Amino acid sequence: MRRAADSVPELRGREVEVRDRSLPGRSRGREAWRRAWGVVAKARPTHLLLVPRLGPGGGELAARLAAEAILSRKENRVLLVTTDTERDGGAERLGERAAVLPFGALAAELTPEEQVGLLARLVVNAPSRTLHVFYSHVGWEALRRHAAPIASGRRLFVSIFSVPPPETGLDAGYARLLAPIRRHVASVFTDNALAAAALESACGLEPGQAVALRHPVSPRPAFRRARNGDERILWAGRLDADKRPDLLRRIAELLPHRTFDVWGTPVLDDGRLFAPLRALPNVRLRGRFAGFGAIPDAPYGCFLYTSLWDGLPNVLLEAVASGLLAVASDVGAVHEVLGEGRGLLVRPPDDAEAYVAALEGSRADAAAAREVAERGRRHVLSVHTREAFLATLASAPGYL
C-alpha cells in the first residue's frame, strides 16, 4: 500500500496509512481528510480532473467536455475535484459514473500550505490512473511541490489555453510553472495551435508534447434578425480588465445611436472598470449568464469581442457558430477562427475607432456581413466537432 508519508514531503516521518483515513495535526485537518477521502473511496475514480469550479467559464467547460469523453468508455469513472470554496453540483448531468469532490469547501478552514499538502496526499493515494489539472491554483501548487510522487503510477496531463507575450503586460499564468515539471507531464493540452507552439518554445517541451485540442461547439438556435432598425450589438464574457470593459465603454460612447447588450460580471477584478458602463444610456447590463446558449433570443446583428489577449475563447466560437458576425480584436489565436474572411479582425486591438468602423461598415453592407458570418459558422461547425475532440484525446497515450 502506498503511504502518504513516503510521497508528500510535509508528512515524512509520520506513518499514516490511507486506510486510517486520518491526518496528523489539527482536528480540522483530520476532519477535512476524513470527508474528502470518503468521497474518493466511494467514487473509485479511474480519472481525476482538478478544476477551480464547475461554472460557465472556458476552463470549466473544457473539464466537462473531457469528462464526457472519458465516460464514453464504460470502464471509466470520473471524479471532478473543485478547489475553489464554492460548492458545485453538475456531476449528475454526467451520469452515475461521475462524482464531484468539493475540496475547496471541505478544506476552507485550512491554511494554503495545508490545502496543498492535503490535496497532494489525496491524489497520491487515489486509485486513479489518469490525472488532468485544469486552471486550479491549488492543483498547480501541488504539482509545483510534489510533481514526482503525484505522477508516479499515473499519467499526468495539464491544460493551458493561453501564453500572453510580454508586451501585453499580462502574467504568463500557469505556463510559468510548467517548465520545471515538464518531464512528469505526458501531454499539455491547449485549444489552439498558437499556444501549442508557444508552450513548446517557452517551456522546453518535447515535439508533440503540447497538443491542440479544439473544443467542440454545439450551436444554439440563431438569433432573430433585426427589423425596423432595432439591431443590437452583443458583448458577452468576464467584465475583467483583460477583457477591456474600458475599451467597450469607449466604443459605446462613439456609437450613441447603437444599443449594446452586455452579458457578464467581474470575476477576477473588483469591478471598478465595470462601473462606468452603467452610466451609458445605450449600454444594457444584463448580468450573469450560464453559458452562451442561455442568452435569450434578441435581434443581434453582431458579436463584439474586445479582449487584450486570449487563446481561443469558447464564447467567440459559440457566437460564430450561432451565425453572428464576429467583430473581434486580432489577438492570440482569434485569427484561427476569424481569419480568411470568416469575421472582422480589428488591429491594433485597442483602437476604439477601428471597432466603430468595422461595426458601422458591416451594418451598411448587411449582405456582405451575412456572407462573412456564414463562412465563419461553417468553419467552426466543421472543425470544432465532438468526433475530432474525442479522436485527439484518444490519440494521447494513457488518457482515455
Side-chain angles (χ1 to χ4, degrees):
M1 178 180 292
R2 282 181 296 180
R3 294 172 181 263
D6 297 332
S7 303
V8 182
E10 284 84 358
L11 300 181
R12 283 179 182 160
R14 303 175 182 180
E15 294 295 311
V16 180
E17 291 190 353
V18 172
R19 65 189 178 195
D20 295 332
R21 297 185 188 178
S22 62
L23 183 70
R26 294 176 297 165
S27 60
R28 64 185 184 184
R30 292 194 297 270
E31 178 62 15
W33 166 256
R34 184 188 66 80
R35 296 174 66 185
W37 182 252
V39 176
V40 174
K42 182 179 179 180
R44 297 179 297 110
T46 58
H47 292 68
L48 288 177
L49 307 185
L50 304 190
V51 296
R53 66 190 72 82
L54 292 178
E60 293 86 347
L61 175 61
R64 287 184 184 277
L65 292 169
E68 290 175 2
I70 292 164
L71 294 171
S72 67
R73 299 194 176 183
K74 293 183 179 180
E75 68 273 20
N76 291 339
R77 296 177 301 279
V78 172
L79 182 62
L80 291 143
V81 182
T82 59
T83 55
D84 282 5
T85 55
E86 298 91 342
R87 286 185 176 270
D88 293 293
E92 65 278 358
R93 284 174 287 185
L94 294 171
E96 62 182 13
R97 289 181 290 120
V100 173
L101 169 59
F103 177 85
L106 295 181
E109 294 186 1
L110 303 184
T111 67
E113 293 280 333
E114 291 170 331
Q115 289 180 8
V116 170
L118 179 59
L119 181 62
R121 187 171 188 264
L122 282 169
V123 172
V124 163
N125 290 289
S128 60
R129 54 182 167 80
T130 300
L131 171 66
H132 190 162
V133 180
F134 293 83
Y135 274 29
S136 162
H137 174 72
V138 180
W140 272 96
E141 276 296 302
L143 291 183
R144 185 176 69 84
R145 304 180 196 189
H146 313 300
I150 285 175
S152 177
R154 64 177 52 81
R155 300 284 284 179
L156 172 60
F157 300 86
V158 299
S159 284
I160 298 176
F161 303 119
S162 176
V163 188
E167 59 266 24
T168 65
L170 298 174
D171 190 279
Y174 296 120
R176 291 182 295 104
L177 306 180
L178 179 58
I181 67 168
R182 64 187 184 277
R183 65 187 179 90
H184 303 293
V185 177
S187 293
V188 182
F189 292 122
T190 185
D191 59 4
N192 63 88
L194 180 71
L199 286 166
E200 283 197 2
S201 173
C203 301
L205 303 183
E206 296 294 327
Q209 193 175 4
V211 179
L213 177 65
R214 292 178 173 84
H215 296 160
V217 176
S218 299
R220 55 156 292 148
F223 293 102
R224 68 178 184 268
R225 188 169 295 182
R227 300 184 186 279
N228 301 319
D230 64 344
E231 178 184 290
R232 304 178 204 166
I233 297 170
L234 173 62
W235 191 102
R238 289 186 290 106
L239 280 163
D240 295 321
D242 61 314
K243 302 302 181 184
R244 299 303 303 272
D246 56 328
L247 178 59
L248 171 60
R249 175 181 56 81
R250 294 206 302 272
I251 296 167
E253 288 173 338
L254 291 171
L255 292 172
H257 55 288
R258 304 291 300 273
T259 299
F260 293 74
D261 275 8
V262 176
W263 288 88
T265 58
V267 175
L268 305 176
D269 296 341
D270 58 12
R272 281 179 291 181
L273 294 175
F274 163 68
L277 288 169
R278 297 181 183 277
L280 299 181
N282 60 330
V283 173
R284 308 196 309 176
L285 299 175
R286 308 305 299 269
R288 190 183 303 273
F289 65 107
F292 193 81
I295 296 176
D297 187 28
Y300 294 126
C302 63
F303 179 75
L304 176 62
Y305 196 74
T306 55
S307 185
L308 172 64
W309 181 259
D310 228 313
L312 191 53
N314 282 295
V315 68
L316 178 65
L317 291 173
E318 292 173 303
V320 174
S322 76
L324 287 179
L325 171 72
V327 178
S329 50
D330 188 6
V331 297
V334 170
H335 69 276
E336 292 185 19
V337 176
L338 302 186
E340 300 180 1
R342 297 187 292 262
L344 301 182
L345 292 165
V346 176
R347 58 178 78 88
D350 59 350
D351 186 346
E353 293 185 353
Y355 285 94
V356 168
L359 291 167
E360 292 294 84
S362 65
R363 193 182 196 191
D365 193 343
R370 284 194 293 271
E371 289 181 9
V372 172
E374 178 59 17
R375 282 196 292 270
R377 188 188 71 84
R378 288 198 303 265
H379 172 80
V380 170
L381 296 182
S382 65
V383 173
H384 293 267
T385 67
R386 291 189 179 274
E387 293 77 13
F389 182 81
L390 186 59
T392 301
L393 284 181
S395 69
Y399 191 85
L400 294 182

